[in-house]
Amino acid sequence: MPDVFCNNCGHRNPGNSNFCSSCGSPLDVRGEDHTITLGPVEESADPSEDISVGLDDIPEGGGVLLVKRGPGAGSRYVLEHDVTTAGRHPQSAIFLDDVTVSRRHAEVVRTADGYVLRDVGSLNGTYLNRERIEREMPLSNGDEVQVGRFKLVFLTASS
């Protein structure tokens, strides 16, 4: 029998459970299809996942998001506009084609002080350095952004 995930805390429970062994919430075990909420991707000790980018690839005062993990690992997205959208919608500036990503998932906004990461009502949430953000958080050089199963690294070249 397949495992059942708690809709309240995301804990994995044996398939025959009626209540979550972690938080005590009732489990929905009526059908085979379940929606799960994904937490941060676990850290890997695999050095082959290291992705490098030259400083010349980052525009002065601009930013870049690099896909570190997920389909299209190694892809680069230059943050050229004041608002850069990320999601599963084909018109997103950063198109992340996976069911764990909402159509309109997150935005990276350029402000006078730098860049801000904003969740725009996604189902699975947006994570910054393994912490789920509620509304928006400022981005710093080297920050890790997680959108669904995609793990991206934010890089900037300061003036």
Side-chain angles (χ1 to χ4, degrees):
M1 185 172 267
D3 290 339
V4 177
F5 291 88
C6 176
N7 287 332
N8 186 44
C9 70
H11 182 75
R12 182 186 307 234
N13 295 279
N16 59 353
S17 299
N18 290 318
F19 295 93
C20 178
S21 62
S22 177
C23 70
S25 295
L27 299 173
D28 180 21
V29 293
R30 285 179 258 149
E32 289 296 319
D33 295 331
H34 292 285
T35 300
I36 61 169
T37 302
L38 297 176
V41 176
E42 292 181 21
E43 188 66 29
S44 173
D46 185 4
S48 67
E49 289 184 9
D50 289 343
I51 297 173
S52 62
V53 63
L55 287 176
D56 295 338
D57 296 337
I58 303 172
E60 183 68 30
V64 173
L65 279 173
L66 298 173
V67 179
K68 181 177 178 182
R69 185 180 297 161
S75 298
R76 297 178 186 160
Y77 297 98
V78 178
L79 306 173
E80 300 173 307
H81 305 288
D82 289 338
V83 177
T84 303
T85 58
R88 196 167 32 97
H89 193 282
Q91 292 179 348
S92 296
I94 301 174
F95 178 58
L96 303 172
D97 191 17
D98 190 79
V99 296
T100 61
V101 178
S102 297
R103 292 183 194 280
R104 288 173 176 76
H105 198 105
E107 296 174 341
V108 177
V109 181
R110 183 183 354 212
T111 66
D113 299 325
Y115 287 90
V116 172
L117 176 65
R118 180 183 300 154
D119 184 90
V120 290
S122 65
L123 178 64
N124 286 325
T126 303
Y127 293 81
L128 177 61
N129 297 323
R130 300 174 158 246
E131 297 290 326
R132 187 173 181 154
I133 63 172
E134 294 302 318
R135 301 240 184 241
E136 65 181 35
M137 291 293 291
L139 285 168
S140 299
N141 196 27
D143 277 350
E144 179 182 277
V145 175
Q146 183 181 337
V147 176
R149 290 189 176 129
F150 293 85
K151 189 184 278 189
L152 304 102
V153 176
F154 174 75
L155 298 172
T156 185
S158 17
S159 324

